[in-house]
Amino acid sequence: MQNPPTPPAETKQPLISFIITYYNLPPQLLDACIDSILALSLTPEEREIIVIDDGSEESPIEALKEKWDDILYIRQHNKGLSAARNLGIEACRGTFIQFVDGDDLLISSIYEQCLDIVRQKDPDIVAFHLSDKEEHNMTVEYEGPMEGAEYMRHNNLRASACGYIFRKKTLVNLRFTSGILHEDEEFTPELFLRAEKVYSTNAKAYYYRDRGHSITRKNDKEWVKKRLEDTKGVLYRLVERTDTLPPAEREAMQRRIDQLTMDYLYNVITLTHNSSFLEECVAELTQKGLFPLPDRDYTQKYKWFRRVSKTRLGRRLMCMTLK
């Protein structure tokens, strides 16, 4: 009688999956991005690095030969950032997820302190800050745990999904909406509403590399139109979502909606400087019950903008003076 075959050893689940999205970037930037992850104290078994190439004109894989053993490379037809991130979510095995744009870096010495919170506190989300400087020397302080809705009620939510380490299970069925700009504006508040243990830090742990694309695209009328339409679509979907929430979560989402409404109007002003178009937007928001902005004790910027935007004269002055 033969003994049954020995089952293969189970692969240990990585602690964290780093999902790097890449599209038409200089390969050396992607190489530096991966190096910033490899510099962390995570063992190969504790980390998973997934590069999602969103249909770049030239694949960077040959430039990454020395890192083939450290990464999983997936190439898809060009579908946009949302689809690339969603593919990464489906492919990853880690307990936690960290999104990284291919031209950015993790500031390893600071990010390590965020990893300590992951290891020691069993969080759903660890929140940190993006920075335009590549190096920082600081002691990380944090608050928590708190429910995601509680955090949202008392803080302005930073939209970028790259500013959070989050537990994969927290997502449930949450994914990014494909085909839109600034998809994080919709994803991040939904993520926080699902979280029970949030730790908020002062860590500047992520280096955001500004490569100047936003400056050139501000003159692209089609891009401006799409950005504003996509933001408005996100805003209206969050409003619909609010109607289904219990009171505490509804209050949390309302703060995000108020902030996003202000941001939308601010962008209408600064991207178009068109008073007539601004008044059309205000009329539509008024019909939806989103304007005037409610009198809330949020930030000084919000309170200032609410007061000035209440009158047609104030809005006209902002069109003339805001850059």
Side-chain angles (χ1 to χ4, degrees), residues 114 125-129 151 158 163-165 192 198-202:
C114 297
I125 296 176
V126 177
F128 52 86
H129 294 263
Y151 178 86
R158 298 185 296 277
Y164 308 100
I165 306 171
F192 267 74
V198 173
Y199 287 84
S200 174
T201 79
N202 66 334

Side-chain angles (χ1 to χ4, degrees), residues 126-169:
V126 177
F128 52 86
H129 294 263
L130 277 58
S131 174
D132 59 359
K133 296 181 180 179
E134 191 170 346
E135 295 185 4
H136 288 279
N137 293 311
M138 61 186 302
T139 300
V140 173
E141 299 176 353
Y142 63 85
E143 297 178 350
M146 67 192 87
E147 291 186 347
E150 178 187 356
Y151 178 86
M152 289 174 64
R153 286 196 298 272
H154 301 289
N155 297 275
N156 278 357
L157 199 60
R158 298 185 296 277
S160 175
C162 293
Y164 308 100
I165 306 171
F166 62 89
R167 187 180 297 275
K168 183 179 180 181
K169 286 184 178 180

Side-chain angles (χ1 to χ4, degrees), residues 160-219:
S160 175
C162 293
Y164 308 100
I165 306 171
F166 62 89
R167 187 180 297 275
K168 183 179 180 181
K169 286 184 178 180
T170 305
L171 290 174
V172 191
N173 61 347
L174 177 62
R175 297 295 185 270
F176 291 90
T177 299
S178 293
I180 66 172
L181 298 172
H182 298 278
E183 53 282 303
D184 294 8
E185 295 283 8
E186 185 172 11
F187 177 88
T188 304
E190 292 280 13
L191 174 66
F192 267 74
L193 288 184
R194 289 163 165 77
E196 296 180 358
K197 294 176 65 178
V198 173
Y199 287 84
S200 174
T201 79
N202 66 334
K204 296 180 179 180
Y206 184 107
Y207 171 52
Y208 173 78
R209 196 189 304 271
D210 186 354
R211 301 177 64 231
H213 293 302
S214 60
I215 296 173
T216 59
R217 302 210 74 176
K218 280 184 179 179
N219 296 321

Side-chain angles (χ1 to χ4, degrees), residues 46-64:
E46 290 177 314
R47 68 171 183 255
E48 178 181 50
I49 303 175
I50 302 176
V51 177
I52 307 293
D53 181 353
D54 186 35
S56 296
E57 294 175 8
E58 294 186 15
S59 169
I61 192 62
E62 285 300 316
L64 301 175

Side-chain angles (χ1 to χ4, degrees), residues 20-300:
I20 304 174
T21 49
Y22 175 89
Y23 177 69
N24 283 353
L25 296 170
Q28 61 267 29
L29 295 184
L30 176 60
D31 189 57
C33 175
I34 296 171
D35 280 342
S36 74
I37 298 171
L38 295 175
L40 299 169
S41 63
L42 296 164
T43 66
E45 293 74 28
E46 290 177 314
R47 68 171 183 255
E48 178 181 50
I49 303 175
I50 302 176
V51 177
I52 307 293
D53 181 353
D54 186 35
S56 296
E57 294 175 8
E58 294 186 15
S59 169
I61 192 62
E62 285 300 316
L64 301 175
K65 280 185 177 180
E66 296 182 359
K67 295 182 170 62
W68 283 359
D69 292 338
D70 297 307
I71 66 173
L72 171 63
Y73 174 83
I74 302 175
R75 182 175 171 87
Q76 67 173 16
H77 293 295
N78 180 238
K79 298 178 181 178
L81 179 59
S82 291
R85 284 177 171 174
N86 288 341
L87 180 57
I89 291 171
E90 298 304 324
C92 74
R93 299 181 298 110
T95 302
F96 293 88
I97 291 175
Q98 172 68 62
F99 289 117
V100 190
D101 291 342
D103 52 348
D104 295 340
L105 302 171
L106 297 180
I107 303 174
S108 303
S109 60
I110 309 300
Y111 193 85
E112 284 285 359
Q113 298 179 66
C114 297
L115 284 178
D116 288 342
I117 299 174
V118 170
R119 291 176 172 124
Q120 299 168 14
K121 301 297 183 180
D122 193 37
D124 292 322
I125 296 176
V126 177
F128 52 86
H129 294 263
L130 277 58
S131 174
D132 59 359
K133 296 181 180 179
E134 191 170 346
E135 295 185 4
H136 288 279
N137 293 311
M138 61 186 302
T139 300
V140 173
E141 299 176 353
Y142 63 85
E143 297 178 350
M146 67 192 87
E147 291 186 347
E150 178 187 356
Y151 178 86
M152 289 174 64
R153 286 196 298 272
H154 301 289
N155 297 275
N156 278 357
L157 199 60
R158 298 185 296 277
S160 175
C162 293
Y164 308 100
I165 306 171
F166 62 89
R167 187 180 297 275
K168 183 179 180 181
K169 286 184 178 180
T170 305
L171 290 174
V172 191
N173 61 347
L174 177 62
R175 297 295 185 270
F176 291 90
T177 299
S178 293
I180 66 172
L181 298 172
H182 298 278
E183 53 282 303
D184 294 8
E185 295 283 8
E186 185 172 11
F187 177 88
T188 304
E190 292 280 13
L191 174 66
F192 267 74
L193 288 184
R194 289 163 165 77
E196 296 180 358
K197 294 176 65 178
V198 173
Y199 287 84
S200 174
T201 79
N202 66 334
K204 296 180 179 180
Y206 184 107
Y207 171 52
Y208 173 78
R209 196 189 304 271
D210 186 354
R211 301 177 64 231
H213 293 302
S214 60
I215 296 173
T216 59
R217 302 210 74 176
K218 280 184 179 179
N219 296 321
D220 184 336
K221 291 183 179 180
E222 288 301 315
W223 178 84
V224 168
K225 180 180 178 181
K226 179 170 175 55
R227 175 177 176 178
L228 295 175
E229 285 296 317
D230 287 350
T231 301
K232 187 170 62 175
V234 168
L235 183 59
Y236 291 169
R237 287 193 293 275
L238 291 181
V239 170
E240 291 178 4
R241 174 80 166 104
T242 303
D243 294 337
T244 69
L245 298 174
E249 294 184 5
R250 189 180 306 136
E251 180 185 349
M253 184 66 88
Q254 189 60 55
R255 175 169 181 146
R256 187 64 199 140
I257 288 170
D258 296 341
Q259 186 69 40
L260 188 56
T261 302
M262 181 193 76
D263 291 344
Y264 169 68
L265 289 174
Y266 184 87
N267 286 331
V268 169
I269 293 168
T270 57
L271 294 176
T272 72
H273 295 283
N274 187 324
S275 294
S276 298
F277 179 62
L278 175 61
E279 293 308 314
E280 292 176 10
C281 296
V282 166
E284 183 176 344
L285 292 175
T286 301
Q287 188 177 18
K288 295 285 187 179
L290 295 172
F291 193 86
L293 293 169
D295 186 3
R296 298 283 189 270
D297 189 20
Y298 296 155
T299 64
Q300 288 298 320

